[in-house]
Amino acid sequence: MLKEAVAVAPDLYEADETAWLEAMADLIRQGRWHDIDYPHLQEFLSDMARRDRHEVESRLVVLIMHLLKWLHQPDQRTRGWRATIIEQRHELARLAHGGVLRNHAEAVLADMYAEAVERAAGETGLPASTFPSACPYTFEQLLSSDVPGNDE
C-alpha cells in the first residue's frame, strides 16, 4: 500500500493532504529518504510556518484590541470581552511559549499594536489618538494573568 502511495505522492498531496502526510511520515520512519516528496514537503512546511506566524499575529491583534476596549470603555465591559482576553492570552502562551514564534511575536508587536488600535477605534468609535501611540505592554506582560480583564 505504501509503495503505491509513494508512486502517486505528488498527486496524493493535492488530493488528500493528511494521507500524503502519513505517507511521508511512514517513509521517514522507514528511512526511505529517496522516496520522499521533497518539493511538496518544503511547500507544506513553509505554509505551516506562515500559518503559525499569522495565527500569532492575529491573536496578538485580538488580545490587544480587547484590552484597549476594556481599558477605554469601562462602562461597556462584558464577560465576553474578559473571556476573549483570557482565551487569546492562553492561546498565545501555547503558540509562542518559546523559540521562533515567541521571537516573531516580540518582533511584530509594534505593528500588531497599530492594527489593534485601528480596529479598536473602528469598533468603539473613539479616535485612534485616544489610545497610546506605542504599545504599553511587553509580550511577557500580555501573557501575564495580571493583564487587565483577567481579574476585574
Side-chain angles (χ1 to χ4, degrees):
M1 174 77 171
L2 181 59
K3 192 67 166 171
E4 206 174 291
V6 172
V8 296
D11 293 335
L12 185 59
Y13 177 78
E14 298 297 331
D16 185 344
E17 192 174 84
T18 301
W20 174 84
L21 281 170
E22 290 170 346
M24 293 304 103
D26 284 342
L27 290 173
I28 291 168
R29 271 190 292 281
Q30 295 173 22
R32 294 176 51 193
W33 312 114
H34 60 282
D35 290 326
I36 294 173
D37 180 7
Y38 285 105
H40 284 123
L41 184 59
Q42 181 275 325
E43 178 183 335
F44 179 83
L45 293 174
S46 293
D47 287 348
M48 200 168 150
R50 236 182 333 274
R51 280 190 302 255
D52 288 350
R53 285 190 303 273
H54 182 268
E55 185 173 355
V56 165
E57 293 167 4
S58 177
R59 290 189 181 279
L60 272 172
V61 169
V62 173
L63 172 59
I64 295 168
M65 178 183 64
H66 276 78
L67 284 171
L68 292 172
K69 290 177 1 179
W70 185 270
L71 293 172
H72 292 276
Q73 290 190 312
D75 56 325
Q76 295 186 32
R77 291 177 180 170
T78 65
R79 288 186 202 155
W81 284 4
R82 181 183 308 160
T84 297
I85 290 168
I86 294 168
E87 176 185 358
Q88 297 307 314
R89 180 176 55 88
H90 283 278
E91 290 302 319
L92 266 172
R94 280 188 198 93
L95 281 166
H97 62 278
V100 172
L101 289 178
R102 182 183 188 91
N103 293 340
H104 179 69
E106 291 172 349
V108 299
L109 182 58
D111 291 336
M112 297 305 99
Y113 177 75
E115 187 175 325
V117 166
E118 181 181 6
R119 288 185 182 187
E123 281 195 23
T124 63
L126 297 171
S129 61
T130 302
F131 308 106
S133 59
C135 186
Y137 307 106
T138 64
F139 183 67
E140 192 63 36
Q141 288 171 323
L142 288 171
L143 297 182
S144 170
S145 60
D146 293 333
V147 169
N150 291 333
D151 59 358
E152 293 183 28

